[in-house]
């Protein structure tokens, strides 16, 4: 789509908007586009937090609605009453460790929840953009460090229950585009880090472990790599895709900071002034059932829309650590999230959050 042809929304629904990535998208859109009405819809599960949206609470173009995307009547009511023309669908269960032990909750949230949202959008008839947020994990494991980055046409070969449910949701989205002409777009993104991320994920987990004097728990030998993107860069990517992306297309959101998990641990130790204590501060624990070696994706389609990554790894990581030093307490007791293989769904069988882009 030409940069000269842009879509202009009016009333936007962000599902999972009190969680990690979508809260930053909500902040960006509310402040950058005061003429847009932003409706955040979130269940407020364990890894969502209203404080993530606190800077928006007095803005006239912001509204929060507590709700679960599997509740069809409420979803349909909100779409009608708020005259929603644009949906940014971030709500999902995302943590890979959780999916190995609580996979039914992932099917319920990620597949059934997406189906409810699609059917409600189809029936509403006012939705002109439906942006479905998926993950690079649907591609499966990168073959080697010599292979080319995966394009949007690469075959989907998910290797864990989380990624499989995200791939299943994608097929539903594609079917509604083809059969019902619902104007859907799909994004697949690399790992994301930054403020607002619940500490079950790699970088906030290691940061909080260091803050508590705990050892860093690295899965396997720590050689698995991920591309890490700072969250405000990712929010800017969604800004570009929503306005300039073309329905029926998939857009990779990929970064240029590919690092082994062991290197992430070393970089955090350096920020904390503990680089000389690596042997004492890092412990290697059992790996996941299957742990993809790497994900590397081609984001040229997104770059053609005018997006580029701005944040350096060094500055992004430092800024993230400083945020957690100030605000980790907003999540209450996070001890269960800081174990080697957290299982956060024992008491929440159908949780909803937004952090779909990061499976680490």
């Amino acid at each position: 789509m030409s940069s000269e042809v842009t879509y202009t929304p009016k009333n936007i629904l962000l599902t999972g908007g009190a969680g990690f990535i979508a809260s930053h998208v909500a902040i960006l859109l509310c402040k950058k586009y005061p003429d847009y009405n932003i409706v955040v819809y979130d269940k407020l599960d364990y890894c969502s937090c209203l404080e993530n949206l606190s800077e928006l609470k007095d803005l006239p173009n912001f509204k929060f609605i507590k709700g679960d995307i599997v509740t069809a009547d409420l979803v349909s009511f909100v779409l009608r009453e708020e005259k929603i023309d644009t949906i940014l669908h971030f709500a999902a269960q995302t943590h890979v460790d959780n999916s190995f032990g609580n996979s039914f909750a992932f099917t319920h949230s990620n597949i059934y929840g997406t189906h409810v949202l699609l059917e409600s959008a189809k029936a509403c008839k006012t939705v002109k953009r439906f942006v479905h947020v998926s993950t690079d994990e649907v591609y499966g494991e990168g073959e080697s460090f010599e292979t080319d980055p995966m394009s949007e046409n690469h075959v989907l070969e998910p290797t864990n229950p989380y990624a499989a449910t995200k791939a299943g949701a994608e097929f539903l989205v594609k079917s509604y585009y083809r059969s019902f002409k619902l104007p859907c777009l799909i994004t697949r993104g690399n790992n994301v880090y930054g403020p607002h991320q619940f500490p079950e994920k790699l970088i906030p987990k290691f940061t909080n472990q260091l803050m508590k004097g705990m050892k860093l728990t690295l899965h396997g030998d720590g050689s698995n790599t991920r591309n890490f993107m700072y969250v405000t860069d990712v929010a800017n990517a969604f800004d570009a895709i929503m306005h300039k992306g073309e329905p029926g297309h998939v857009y990779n959101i990929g970064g240029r900071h590919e690092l082994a998990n062991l290197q992430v641990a070393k970089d955090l130790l350096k920020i904390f002034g503990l680089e000389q204590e690596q042997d004492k501060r890092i412990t290697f624990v059992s790996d996941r059932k299957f742990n993809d070696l790497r994900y590397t994706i081609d984001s040229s389609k997104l770059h053609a829309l005018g997006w580029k990554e701005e944040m350096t790894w060094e500055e992004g990581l430092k800024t993230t650590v400083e945020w957690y030093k100030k605000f980790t307490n907003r999540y209450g007791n996070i001890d269960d999230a800081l174990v080697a293989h957290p299982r956060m769904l024992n008491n929440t069988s159908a949780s909803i959050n937004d952090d779909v882009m990061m499976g680490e």
Side-chain angles (χ1 to χ4, degrees):
M1 176 174 283
S2 168
S3 60
E4 296 179 0
V5 180
T6 60
Y7 166 71
T8 302
K10 179 61 178 176
N11 301 309
I12 303 171
L13 180 74
L14 277 83
T15 68
F20 173 37
I21 300 168
S23 63
H24 286 274
V25 175
I27 291 167
L28 171 67
L29 296 180
C30 276
K31 292 185 174 182
K32 185 176 180 180
Y33 304 103
D35 291 336
Y36 297 178
N37 296 312
I38 310 300
V39 179
V40 167
Y41 185 95
D42 197 292
K43 185 183 178 181
L44 294 182
D45 198 15
Y46 74 92
C47 44
S48 298
C49 181
L50 264 181
E51 289 182 68
N52 290 339
L53 301 166
S54 59
E55 61 191 279
L56 303 180
K57 66 181 188 311
D58 295 325
L59 295 183
N61 63 334
F62 169 74
K63 177 183 286 189
F64 175 79
I65 297 173
K66 183 177 180 180
D68 193 327
I69 58 168
V70 302
T71 309
D73 289 346
L74 180 57
V75 170
S76 296
F77 175 81
V78 171
L79 292 181
R80 291 193 309 269
E81 291 298 306
E82 301 298 330
K83 298 179 175 58
I84 297 299
D85 55 40
T86 304
I87 297 173
L88 301 180
H89 177 34
F90 290 84
Q93 276 298 333
T94 66
H95 192 43
V96 174
D97 276 335
N98 282 342
S99 79
F100 284 124
N102 305 273
S103 55
F104 290 147
F106 283 68
T107 301
H108 186 66
S109 297
N110 297 356
I111 296 180
Y112 180 69
T114 299
H115 200 172
V116 168
L117 197 60
L118 286 165
E119 188 63 24
S120 298
K122 175 175 74 78
C124 184
K125 300 186 184 304
T126 61
V127 175
K128 298 180 176 63
R129 284 291 185 281
F130 187 113
V131 180
H132 175 71
V133 185
S134 191
T135 171
D136 58 3
E137 294 206 31
V138 298
Y139 292 124
E141 185 174 43
E143 295 174 5
S144 74
F145 288 96
E146 287 75 36
T147 54
D148 292 332
M150 292 178 280
S151 73
E152 289 85 352
N153 294 323
H154 194 281
V155 65
L156 304 189
E157 296 183 308
T159 61
N160 59 67
Y162 156 64
T165 61
K166 293 303 294 182
E170 282 198 27
F171 284 116
L172 278 169
V173 172
K174 289 179 179 180
S175 74
Y176 272 71
Y177 171 74
R178 290 170 179 155
S179 293
F180 307 114
K181 311 305 179 187
L182 189 66
C184 299
L185 303 84
I186 294 172
T187 70
R188 299 175 184 148
N190 281 154
N191 283 33
V192 186
Y193 73 100
H196 301 183
Q197 189 171 35
F198 188 74
E200 67 188 356
K201 301 299 175 72
L202 185 74
I203 290 174
K205 179 177 181 175
F206 281 4
T207 299
N208 279 276
Q209 286 175 333
L210 289 172
M211 287 165 55
K212 290 175 174 284
M214 301 168 63
K215 287 187 175 182
L216 303 183
T217 51
L218 267 172
H219 292 176
D221 62 4
S223 64
N224 302 73
T225 70
R226 299 293 184 264
N227 265 300
F228 293 94
M229 296 186 297
Y230 192 70
V231 67
T232 54
D233 281 335
V234 176
N236 287 329
F238 281 103
D239 184 5
I241 290 167
M242 180 182 69
H243 287 99
K244 300 178 182 179
E246 187 174 350
H249 283 239
V250 179
Y251 294 89
N252 285 337
I253 305 175
R256 63 183 185 273
H257 305 300
E258 184 175 10
L259 298 161
N261 292 338
L262 177 57
Q263 187 60 53
V264 174
K266 291 179 179 179
D267 289 347
L268 283 168
L269 286 171
K270 184 177 180 180
I271 289 175
F272 278 84
L274 301 171
E275 61 265 43
Q276 303 304 318
E277 301 182 22
Q278 178 179 324
D279 292 341
K280 294 191 298 183
R281 296 285 181 169
I282 295 178
T283 182
F284 296 92
V285 301
S286 60
D287 209 346
R288 290 170 172 166
K289 300 293 184 183
F290 187 89
N291 197 350
D292 292 327
L293 173 66
R294 68 193 296 248
Y295 309 108
T296 177
I297 56 178
D298 179 352
S299 301
S300 56
K301 282 182 65 175
L302 174 59
H303 288 290
L305 301 183
W307 177 84
K308 62 180 180 178
E309 193 174 12
E310 302 281 358
M311 181 66 79
T312 66
W313 167 247
E314 294 76 15
E315 184 63 26
L317 194 63
K318 180 181 177 182
T319 301
T320 300
V321 168
E322 290 305 311
W323 187 87
Y324 282 101
K325 286 180 178 179
K326 295 178 181 178
F327 298 112
T328 286
N329 60 354
R330 73 172 45 178
Y331 295 109
N333 186 344
I334 59 171
D335 290 348
D336 288 344
L338 301 184
V339 299
H341 296 279
R343 295 286 187 268
M344 300 300 295
L345 296 179
N346 292 337
N347 297 315
T348 53
S349 61
S351 321
I352 301 292
N353 187 37
D354 79 304
D355 182 9
V356 298
M357 296 181 64
M358 176 171 169
E360 195 58 48

